Amino acid sequence: MNKSYNEKTAIITGGSRGLGAAIVEEFAKHNYNVVINYNNSKTKANKLKNEIEEKYPVKAIIIKADVSNEEEVIKMMEETVKTFGRIDVLVNNAGICNDSLLEDKTPDMFRTILDTNLVGPFITMKHIGTYMYNEGEGSIVNISSTNGIDTYYPESMDYDASKAGLISLNHNFAKQFAPLVRVNCVAPGWIKTDMSSGLNEEQLEQAYNNILLGRFAEPSEIAESVYFAATASYLNNSVIEVDGGSTE
């Protein structure tokens, strides 16, 4: 399809699979060109790129970058601007977890979680958010979790701490970039992704009993809230819990 790529552009970190892939598709559905950032899942990123370009009249590119590596983030930003001439939305979705017993957790394991889940968004917002600010407009959505608000699991205390820290970071960057760049946070509860696939029947039943809707979210349902947060023009410095009505 012949077209000039001067439409709006969204960067989705960790965009090759799971929730990230659903967010990529949600923006493409609304005619955004999309940058699918990945770190390890190149095959899935390429597959998603092809699917997006077949289904929607947009351009998708894949960029390998470890969000905790400042040099790689800057290169991702520069490649995006070179390709599309603009960045309108940044979604900080890249995240990892490593559930384990306290006696098995090490400081290095804890730091690894923080590097991706908290330092990574700091780096992307510092550079891509500043680019948007200098351009005069933009929107950032940080993907936190209800684990960072009011649900606590000792085996994922490192993940929980990173997501609580991301909410704090969200508030500070909203203030830093006001009034030109809006910065909001979406905090999902349970989602049907790889992160929840290891739960046994007893754990699933207990989780369902604590959700008023009685089920886990589809990734596409969370993606709808992310798109809303990115495009609602008077929404700023907000944390939106999307948990199906959790009673925990």
Side-chain angles (χ1 to χ4, degrees), residues 62-96:
I62 66 170
I63 300 180
K64 183 184 189 311
D66 177 351
V67 295
S68 68
N69 184 309
E70 189 169 25
E71 182 178 330
E72 292 184 14
V73 167
I74 292 171
K75 287 180 179 178
M76 176 171 66
M77 178 183 70
E78 291 173 343
E79 185 174 343
T80 300
V81 174
K82 181 179 179 181
T83 302
F84 297 114
R86 60 192 294 166
I87 303 171
D88 300 278
V89 174
L90 165 67
V91 180
N92 279 315
N93 169 74
I96 58 174

PDB file of all heavy atoms in Angstrom, residues 62-96:
ATOM      1  N   ILE A  62       9.636  -3.159  13.907  1.00  0.00           N
ATOM      2  CA  ILE A  62      10.100  -3.803  15.129  1.00  0.00           C
ATOM      3  C   ILE A  62      11.479  -3.238  15.465  1.00  0.00           C
ATOM      4  O   ILE A  62      12.295  -3.000  14.580  1.00  0.00           O
ATOM      5  CB  ILE A  62      10.141  -5.344  15.017  1.00  0.00           C
ATOM      6  CG1 ILE A  62      11.192  -5.800  14.006  1.00  0.00           C
ATOM      7  CG2 ILE A  62       8.757  -5.882  14.629  1.00  0.00           C
ATOM      8  CD1 ILE A  62      11.447  -7.295  14.036  1.00  0.00           C
ATOM      9  N   ILE A  63      11.690  -2.996  16.748  1.00  0.00           N
ATOM     10  CA  ILE A  63      12.974  -2.480  17.213  1.00  0.00           C
ATOM     11  C   ILE A  63      13.407  -3.251  18.452  1.00  0.00           C
ATOM     12  O   ILE A  63      12.682  -3.278  19.457  1.00  0.00           O
ATOM     13  CB  ILE A  63      12.910  -0.977  17.540  1.00  0.00           C
ATOM     14  CG1 ILE A  63      12.509  -0.162  16.311  1.00  0.00           C
ATOM     15  CG2 ILE A  63      14.267  -0.495  18.072  1.00  0.00           C
ATOM     16  CD1 ILE A  63      12.416   1.335  16.564  1.00  0.00           C
ATOM     17  N   LYS A  64      14.560  -3.862  18.364  1.00  0.00           N
ATOM     18  CA  LYS A  64      15.120  -4.552  19.532  1.00  0.00           C
ATOM     19  C   LYS A  64      15.766  -3.530  20.447  1.00  0.00           C
ATOM     20  O   LYS A  64      16.615  -2.749  20.016  1.00  0.00           O
ATOM     21  CB  LYS A  64      16.157  -5.589  19.106  1.00  0.00           C
ATOM     22  CG  LYS A  64      16.722  -6.399  20.267  1.00  0.00           C
ATOM     23  CD  LYS A  64      17.810  -7.345  19.799  1.00  0.00           C
ATOM     24  CE  LYS A  64      18.229  -8.319  20.903  1.00  0.00           C
ATOM     25  NZ  LYS A  64      18.511  -7.686  22.196  1.00  0.00           N
ATOM     26  N   ALA A  65      15.355  -3.532  21.697  1.00  0.00           N
ATOM     27  CA  ALA A  65      15.976  -2.642  22.681  1.00  0.00           C
ATOM     28  C   ALA A  65      15.665  -3.143  24.076  1.00  0.00           C
ATOM     29  O   ALA A  65      14.519  -3.470  24.388  1.00  0.00           O
ATOM     30  CB  ALA A  65      15.468  -1.207  22.518  1.00  0.00           C
ATOM     31  N   ASP A  66      16.681  -3.214  24.885  1.00  0.00           N
ATOM     32  CA  ASP A  66      16.516  -3.475  26.316  1.00  0.00           C
ATOM     33  C   ASP A  66      16.204  -2.134  26.967  1.00  0.00           C
ATOM     34  O   ASP A  66      17.032  -1.224  26.943  1.00  0.00           O
ATOM     35  CB  ASP A  66      17.812  -4.060  26.870  1.00  0.00           C
ATOM     36  CG  ASP A  66      17.774  -4.303  28.369  1.00  0.00           C
ATOM     37  OD1 ASP A  66      16.803  -3.867  29.037  1.00  0.00           O
ATOM     38  OD2 ASP A  66      18.729  -4.907  28.885  1.00  0.00           O
ATOM     39  N   VAL A  67      14.996  -1.995  27.528  1.00  0.00           N
ATOM     40  CA  VAL A  67      14.593  -0.686  28.033  1.00  0.00           C
ATOM     41  C   VAL A  67      15.443  -0.212  29.205  1.00  0.00           C
ATOM     42  O   VAL A  67      15.453   0.987  29.521  1.00  0.00           O
ATOM     43  CB  VAL A  67      13.095  -0.671  28.434  1.00  0.00           C
ATOM     44  CG1 VAL A  67      12.216  -0.874  27.212  1.00  0.00           C
ATOM     45  CG2 VAL A  67      12.788  -1.701  29.524  1.00  0.00           C
ATOM     46  N   SER A  68      16.169  -1.118  29.830  1.00  0.00           N
ATOM     47  CA  SER A  68      17.043  -0.700  30.929  1.00  0.00           C
ATOM     48  C   SER A  68      18.404  -0.228  30.437  1.00  0.00           C
ATOM     49  O   SER A  68      19.249   0.177  31.233  1.00  0.00           O
ATOM     50  CB  SER A  68      17.234  -1.850  31.926  1.00  0.00           C
ATOM     51  OG  SER A  68      17.987  -2.909  31.363  1.00  0.00           O
ATOM     52  N   ASN A  69      18.599  -0.254  29.115  1.00  0.00           N
ATOM     53  CA  ASN A  69      19.851   0.191  28.504  1.00  0.00           C
ATOM     54  C   ASN A  69      19.611   1.543  27.841  1.00  0.00           C
ATOM     55  O   ASN A  69      18.923   1.639  26.828  1.00  0.00           O
ATOM     56  CB  ASN A  69      20.329  -0.846  27.484  1.00  0.00           C
ATOM     57  CG  ASN A  69      21.673  -0.504  26.861  1.00  0.00           C
ATOM     58  OD1 ASN A  69      21.877   0.604  26.367  1.00  0.00           O
ATOM     59  ND2 ASN A  69      22.590  -1.450  26.877  1.00  0.00           N
ATOM     60  N   GLU A  70      20.194   2.591  28.403  1.00  0.00           N
ATOM     61  CA  GLU A  70      19.910   3.943  27.936  1.00  0.00           C
ATOM     62  C   GLU A  70      20.299   4.137  26.476  1.00  0.00           C
ATOM     63  O   GLU A  70      19.562   4.760  25.699  1.00  0.00           O
ATOM     64  CB  GLU A  70      20.632   4.964  28.819  1.00  0.00           C
ATOM     65  CG  GLU A  70      20.238   6.404  28.547  1.00  0.00           C
ATOM     66  CD  GLU A  70      20.763   7.353  29.605  1.00  0.00           C
ATOM     67  OE1 GLU A  70      21.785   7.025  30.273  1.00  0.00           O
ATOM     68  OE2 GLU A  70      20.155   8.416  29.782  1.00  0.00           O
ATOM     69  N   GLU A  71      21.429   3.625  26.078  1.00  0.00           N
ATOM     70  CA  GLU A  71      21.885   3.784  24.697  1.00  0.00           C
ATOM     71  C   GLU A  71      20.903   3.142  23.722  1.00  0.00           C
ATOM     72  O   GLU A  71      20.589   3.713  22.664  1.00  0.00           O
ATOM     73  CB  GLU A  71      23.272   3.160  24.536  1.00  0.00           C
ATOM     74  CG  GLU A  71      23.862   3.311  23.150  1.00  0.00           C
ATOM     75  CD  GLU A  71      25.261   2.718  23.040  1.00  0.00           C
ATOM     76  OE1 GLU A  71      25.980   2.709  24.062  1.00  0.00           O
ATOM     77  OE2 GLU A  71      25.628   2.271  21.933  1.00  0.00           O
ATOM     78  N   GLU A  72      20.388   1.958  24.059  1.00  0.00           N
ATOM     79  CA  GLU A  72      19.456   1.271  23.172  1.00  0.00           C
ATOM     80  C   GLU A  72      18.118   2.010  23.106  1.00  0.00           C
ATOM     81  O   GLU A  72      17.478   2.050  22.046  1.00  0.00           O
ATOM     82  CB  GLU A  72      19.258  -0.173  23.626  1.00  0.00           C
ATOM     83  CG  GLU A  72      20.500  -1.019  23.450  1.00  0.00           C
ATOM     84  CD  GLU A  72      20.306  -2.482  23.815  1.00  0.00           C
ATOM     85  OE1 GLU A  72      19.126  -2.914  23.956  1.00  0.00           O
ATOM     86  OE2 GLU A  72      21.306  -3.198  23.978  1.00  0.00           O
ATOM     87  N   VAL A  73      17.688   2.600  24.210  1.00  0.00           N
ATOM     88  CA  VAL A  73      16.445   3.375  24.209  1.00  0.00           C
ATOM     89  C   VAL A  73      16.583   4.608  23.316  1.00  0.00           C
ATOM     90  O   VAL A  73      15.682   4.935  22.542  1.00  0.00           O
ATOM     91  CB  VAL A  73      16.048   3.775  25.645  1.00  0.00           C
ATOM     92  CG1 VAL A  73      14.940   4.831  25.628  1.00  0.00           C
ATOM     93  CG2 VAL A  73      15.607   2.549  26.428  1.00  0.00           C
ATOM     94  N   ILE A  74      17.715   5.292  23.424  1.00  0.00           N
ATOM     95  CA  ILE A  74      17.939   6.477  22.587  1.00  0.00           C
ATOM     96  C   ILE A  74      17.935   6.092  21.111  1.00  0.00           C
ATOM     97  O   ILE A  74      17.332   6.783  20.273  1.00  0.00           O
ATOM     98  CB  ILE A  74      19.265   7.165  22.973  1.00  0.00           C
ATOM     99  CG1 ILE A  74      19.153   7.772  24.377  1.00  0.00           C
ATOM    100  CG2 ILE A  74      19.630   8.240  21.953  1.00  0.00           C
ATOM    101  CD1 ILE A  74      20.469   8.287  24.927  1.00  0.00           C
ATOM    102  N   LYS A  75      18.558   4.972  20.768  1.00  0.00           N
ATOM    103  CA  LYS A  75      18.567   4.510  19.377  1.00  0.00           C
ATOM    104  C   LYS A  75      17.154   4.179  18.905  1.00  0.00           C
ATOM    105  O   LYS A  75      16.786   4.455  17.749  1.00  0.00           O
ATOM    106  CB  LYS A  75      19.482   3.292  19.229  1.00  0.00           C
ATOM    107  CG  LYS A  75      20.965   3.633  19.304  1.00  0.00           C
ATOM    108  CD  LYS A  75      21.827   2.381  19.139  1.00  0.00           C
ATOM    109  CE  LYS A  75      23.315   2.728  19.186  1.00  0.00           C
ATOM    110  NZ  LYS A  75      24.170   1.515  19.066  1.00  0.00           N
ATOM    111  N   MET A  76      16.346   3.572  19.776  1.00  0.00           N
ATOM    112  CA  MET A  76      14.963   3.261  19.428  1.00  0.00           C
ATOM    113  C   MET A  76      14.185   4.538  19.136  1.00  0.00           C
ATOM    114  O   MET A  76      13.427   4.612  18.163  1.00  0.00           O
ATOM    115  CB  MET A  76      14.286   2.481  20.553  1.00  0.00           C
ATOM    116  CG  MET A  76      12.802   2.200  20.320  1.00  0.00           C
ATOM    117  SD  MET A  76      12.072   1.063  21.521  1.00  0.00           S
ATOM    118  CE  MET A  76      12.167   2.041  23.031  1.00  0.00           C
ATOM    119  N   MET A  77      14.383   5.544  19.975  1.00  0.00           N
ATOM    120  CA  MET A  77      13.716   6.822  19.763  1.00  0.00           C
ATOM    121  C   MET A  77      14.145   7.438  18.431  1.00  0.00           C
ATOM    122  O   MET A  77      13.301   7.899  17.638  1.00  0.00           O
ATOM    123  CB  MET A  77      14.043   7.777  20.911  1.00  0.00           C
ATOM    124  CG  MET A  77      13.437   9.161  20.779  1.00  0.00           C
ATOM    125  SD  MET A  77      13.933  10.273  22.124  1.00  0.00           S
ATOM    126  CE  MET A  77      15.673  10.518  21.733  1.00  0.00           C
ATOM    127  N   GLU A  78      15.423   7.434  18.171  1.00  0.00           N
ATOM    128  CA  GLU A  78      15.933   8.040  16.945  1.00  0.00           C
ATOM    129  C   GLU A  78      15.448   7.293  15.699  1.00  0.00           C
ATOM    130  O   GLU A  78      15.102   7.915  14.686  1.00  0.00           O
ATOM    131  CB  GLU A  78      17.464   8.071  16.985  1.00  0.00           C
ATOM    132  CG  GLU A  78      18.019   9.033  18.026  1.00  0.00           C
ATOM    133  CD  GLU A  78      19.516   8.950  18.187  1.00  0.00           C
ATOM    134  OE1 GLU A  78      20.118   7.943  17.738  1.00  0.00           O
ATOM    135  OE2 GLU A  78      20.111   9.878  18.769  1.00  0.00           O
ATOM    136  N   GLU A  79      15.398   5.968  15.779  1.00  0.00           N
ATOM    137  CA  GLU A  79      14.922   5.186  14.638  1.00  0.00           C
ATOM    138  C   GLU A  79      13.443   5.440  14.380  1.00  0.00           C
ATOM    139  O   GLU A  79      12.998   5.519  13.227  1.00  0.00           O
ATOM    140  CB  GLU A  79      15.167   3.694  14.876  1.00  0.00           C
ATOM    141  CG  GLU A  79      14.813   2.837  13.676  1.00  0.00           C
ATOM    142  CD  GLU A  79      15.190   1.380  13.863  1.00  0.00           C
ATOM    143  OE1 GLU A  79      15.998   1.074  14.756  1.00  0.00           O
ATOM    144  OE2 GLU A  79      14.662   0.546  13.100  1.00  0.00           O
ATOM    145  N   THR A  80      12.673   5.591  15.458  1.00  0.00           N
ATOM    146  CA  THR A  80      11.241   5.886  15.312  1.00  0.00           C
ATOM    147  C   THR A  80      11.033   7.226  14.629  1.00  0.00           C
ATOM    148  O   THR A  80      10.237   7.349  13.698  1.00  0.00           O
ATOM    149  CB  THR A  80      10.557   5.887  16.689  1.00  0.00           C
ATOM    150  OG1 THR A  80      10.715   4.603  17.309  1.00  0.00           O
ATOM    151  CG2 THR A  80       9.066   6.183  16.555  1.00  0.00           C
ATOM    152  N   VAL A  81      11.750   8.244  15.084  1.00  0.00           N
ATOM    153  CA  VAL A  81      11.614   9.579  14.501  1.00  0.00           C
ATOM    154  C   VAL A  81      12.083   9.578  13.048  1.00  0.00           C
ATOM    155  O   VAL A  81      11.464  10.207  12.173  1.00  0.00           O
ATOM    156  CB  VAL A  81      12.388  10.618  15.328  1.00  0.00           C
ATOM    157  CG1 VAL A  81      12.379  11.976  14.637  1.00  0.00           C
ATOM    158  CG2 VAL A  81      11.804  10.726  16.728  1.00  0.00           C
ATOM    159  N   LYS A  82      13.146   8.858  12.759  1.00  0.00           N
ATOM    160  CA  LYS A  82      13.655   8.778  11.391  1.00  0.00           C
ATOM    161  C   LYS A  82      12.624   8.134  10.468  1.00  0.00           C
ATOM    162  O   LYS A  82      12.442   8.551   9.322  1.00  0.00           O
ATOM    163  CB  LYS A  82      14.959   7.977  11.358  1.00  0.00           C
ATOM    164  CG  LYS A  82      15.576   7.858   9.976  1.00  0.00           C
ATOM    165  CD  LYS A  82      16.882   7.073  10.019  1.00  0.00           C
ATOM    166  CE  LYS A  82      17.478   6.929   8.626  1.00  0.00           C
ATOM    167  NZ  LYS A  82      18.755   6.146   8.655  1.00  0.00           N
ATOM    168  N   THR A  83      11.929   7.118  10.976  1.00  0.00           N
ATOM    169  CA  THR A  83      10.951   6.389  10.152  1.00  0.00           C
ATOM    170  C   THR A  83       9.647   7.154   9.993  1.00  0.00           C
ATOM    171  O   THR A  83       9.101   7.263   8.896  1.00  0.00           O
ATOM    172  CB  THR A  83      10.656   5.010  10.766  1.00  0.00           C
ATOM    173  OG1 THR A  83      11.880   4.270  10.876  1.00  0.00           O
ATOM    174  CG2 THR A  83       9.673   4.226   9.896  1.00  0.00           C
ATOM    175  N   PHE A  84       9.130   7.688  11.102  1.00  0.00           N
ATOM    176  CA  PHE A  84       7.781   8.256  11.096  1.00  0.00           C
ATOM    177  C   PHE A  84       7.741   9.779  11.228  1.00  0.00           C
ATOM    178  O   PHE A  84       6.709  10.397  10.998  1.00  0.00           O
ATOM    179  CB  PHE A  84       6.945   7.642  12.223  1.00  0.00           C
ATOM    180  CG  PHE A  84       6.730   6.167  12.077  1.00  0.00           C
ATOM    181  CD1 PHE A  84       7.278   5.275  12.989  1.00  0.00           C
ATOM    182  CD2 PHE A  84       5.982   5.661  11.033  1.00  0.00           C
ATOM    183  CE1 PHE A  84       7.074   3.914  12.871  1.00  0.00           C
ATOM    184  CE2 PHE A  84       5.773   4.301  10.889  1.00  0.00           C
ATOM    185  CZ  PHE A  84       6.319   3.413  11.811  1.00  0.00           C
ATOM    186  N   GLY A  85       8.857  10.365  11.674  1.00  0.00           N
ATOM    187  CA  GLY A  85       8.883  11.808  11.819  1.00  0.00           C
ATOM    188  C   GLY A  85       8.217  12.333  13.068  1.00  0.00           C
ATOM    189  O   GLY A  85       8.168  13.554  13.279  1.00  0.00           O
ATOM    190  N   ARG A  86       7.742  11.442  13.927  1.00  0.00           N
ATOM    191  CA  ARG A  86       7.033  11.885  15.127  1.00  0.00           C
ATOM    192  C   ARG A  86       6.847  10.722  16.098  1.00  0.00           C
ATOM    193  O   ARG A  86       6.908   9.550  15.717  1.00  0.00           O
ATOM    194  CB  ARG A  86       5.661  12.449  14.758  1.00  0.00           C
ATOM    195  CG  ARG A  86       4.757  11.424  14.058  1.00  0.00           C
ATOM    196  CD  ARG A  86       3.519  12.061  13.445  1.00  0.00           C
ATOM    197  NE  ARG A  86       2.645  12.588  14.477  1.00  0.00           N
ATOM    198  CZ  ARG A  86       1.643  13.432  14.219  1.00  0.00           C
ATOM    199  NH1 ARG A  86       1.412  13.841  12.980  1.00  0.00           N
ATOM    200  NH2 ARG A  86       0.865  13.873  15.191  1.00  0.00           N
ATOM    201  N   ILE A  87       6.617  11.062  17.364  1.00  0.00           N
ATOM    202  CA  ILE A  87       6.205  10.096  18.381  1.00  0.00           C
ATOM    203  C   ILE A  87       5.057  10.748  19.148  1.00  0.00           C
ATOM    204  O   ILE A  87       5.230  11.817  19.726  1.00  0.00           O
ATOM    205  CB  ILE A  87       7.335   9.733  19.360  1.00  0.00           C
ATOM    206  CG1 ILE A  87       8.554   9.189  18.617  1.00  0.00           C
ATOM    207  CG2 ILE A  87       6.840   8.700  20.385  1.00  0.00           C
ATOM    208  CD1 ILE A  87       9.787   9.018  19.505  1.00  0.00           C
ATOM    209  N   ASP A  88       3.905  10.123  19.125  1.00  0.00           N
ATOM    210  CA  ASP A  88       2.737  10.688  19.793  1.00  0.00           C
ATOM    211  C   ASP A  88       2.424  10.008  21.119  1.00  0.00           C
ATOM    212  O   ASP A  88       1.930  10.649  22.049  1.00  0.00           O
ATOM    213  CB  ASP A  88       1.514  10.579  18.874  1.00  0.00           C
ATOM    214  CG  ASP A  88       1.719  11.334  17.579  1.00  0.00           C
ATOM    215  OD1 ASP A  88       1.523  12.559  17.573  1.00  0.00           O
ATOM    216  OD2 ASP A  88       2.110  10.696  16.579  1.00  0.00           O
ATOM    217  N   VAL A  89       2.676   8.712  21.178  1.00  0.00           N
ATOM    218  CA  VAL A  89       2.328   7.942  22.374  1.00  0.00           C
ATOM    219  C   VAL A  89       3.469   6.995  22.720  1.00  0.00           C
ATOM    220  O   VAL A  89       4.063   6.362  21.840  1.00  0.00           O
ATOM    221  CB  VAL A  89       1.035   7.127  22.158  1.00  0.00           C
ATOM    222  CG1 VAL A  89       0.758   6.225  23.362  1.00  0.00           C
ATOM    223  CG2 VAL A  89      -0.157   8.045  21.908  1.00  0.00           C
ATOM    224  N   LEU A  90       3.767   6.914  24.003  1.00  0.00           N
ATOM    225  CA  LEU A  90       4.681   5.906  24.550  1.00  0.00           C
ATOM    226  C   LEU A  90       3.915   5.079  25.556  1.00  0.00           C
ATOM    227  O   LEU A  90       3.308   5.627  26.484  1.00  0.00           O
ATOM    228  CB  LEU A  90       5.878   6.571  25.240  1.00  0.00           C
ATOM    229  CG  LEU A  90       6.724   5.671  26.153  1.00  0.00           C
ATOM    230  CD1 LEU A  90       7.440   4.603  25.345  1.00  0.00           C
ATOM    231  CD2 LEU A  90       7.718   6.513  26.966  1.00  0.00           C
ATOM    232  N   VAL A  91       3.918   3.766  25.374  1.00  0.00           N
ATOM    233  CA  VAL A  91       3.316   2.861  26.362  1.00  0.00           C
ATOM    234  C   VAL A  91       4.433   2.035  26.983  1.00  0.00           C
ATOM    235  O   VAL A  91       5.081   1.232  26.306  1.00  0.00           O
ATOM    236  CB  VAL A  91       2.264   1.933  25.732  1.00  0.00           C
ATOM    237  CG1 VAL A  91       1.675   1.003  26.806  1.00  0.00           C
ATOM    238  CG2 VAL A  91       1.151   2.742  25.067  1.00  0.00           C
ATOM    239  N   ASN A  92       4.657   2.247  28.271  1.00  0.00           N
ATOM    240  CA  ASN A  92       5.675   1.486  29.001  1.00  0.00           C
ATOM    241  C   ASN A  92       5.059   0.192  29.514  1.00  0.00           C
ATOM    242  O   ASN A  92       4.543   0.113  30.627  1.00  0.00           O
ATOM    243  CB  ASN A  92       6.222   2.319  30.166  1.00  0.00           C
ATOM    244  CG  ASN A  92       7.268   3.296  29.719  1.00  0.00           C
ATOM    245  OD1 ASN A  92       8.165   2.956  28.944  1.00  0.00           O
ATOM    246  ND2 ASN A  92       7.176   4.531  30.193  1.00  0.00           N
ATOM    247  N   ASN A  93       5.129  -0.835  28.659  1.00  0.00           N
ATOM    248  CA  ASN A  93       4.521  -2.118  28.989  1.00  0.00           C
ATOM    249  C   ASN A  93       5.539  -3.187  29.371  1.00  0.00           C
ATOM    250  O   ASN A  93       5.206  -4.129  30.077  1.00  0.00           O
ATOM    251  CB  ASN A  93       3.700  -2.605  27.786  1.00  0.00           C
ATOM    252  CG  ASN A  93       3.252  -4.038  27.948  1.00  0.00           C
ATOM    253  OD1 ASN A  93       2.347  -4.329  28.714  1.00  0.00           O
ATOM    254  ND2 ASN A  93       3.889  -4.947  27.221  1.00  0.00           N
ATOM    255  N   ALA A  94       6.788  -3.051  28.916  1.00  0.00           N
ATOM    256  CA  ALA A  94       7.793  -4.088  29.172  1.00  0.00           C
ATOM    257  C   ALA A  94       7.901  -4.363  30.666  1.00  0.00           C
ATOM    258  O   ALA A  94       8.034  -3.439  31.467  1.00  0.00           O
ATOM    259  CB  ALA A  94       9.140  -3.656  28.612  1.00  0.00           C
ATOM    260  N   GLY A  95       7.831  -5.623  31.020  1.00  0.00           N
ATOM    261  CA  GLY A  95       7.924  -5.977  32.431  1.00  0.00           C
ATOM    262  C   GLY A  95       8.223  -7.457  32.594  1.00  0.00           C
ATOM    263  O   GLY A  95       7.881  -8.272  31.737  1.00  0.00           O
ATOM    264  N   ILE A  96       8.881  -7.794  33.686  1.00  0.00           N
ATOM    265  CA  ILE A  96       9.206  -9.185  33.983  1.00  0.00           C
ATOM    266  C   ILE A  96       8.860  -9.483  35.432  1.00  0.00           C
ATOM    267  O   ILE A  96       8.734  -8.578  36.264  1.00  0.00           O
ATOM    268  CB  ILE A  96      10.695  -9.495  33.736  1.00  0.00           C
ATOM    269  CG1 ILE A  96      11.587  -8.573  34.583  1.00  0.00           C
ATOM    270  CG2 ILE A  96      11.033  -9.365  32.249  1.00  0.00           C
ATOM    271  CD1 ILE A  96      13.072  -8.914  34.502  1.00  0.00           C
TER     272      ILE A  96
END
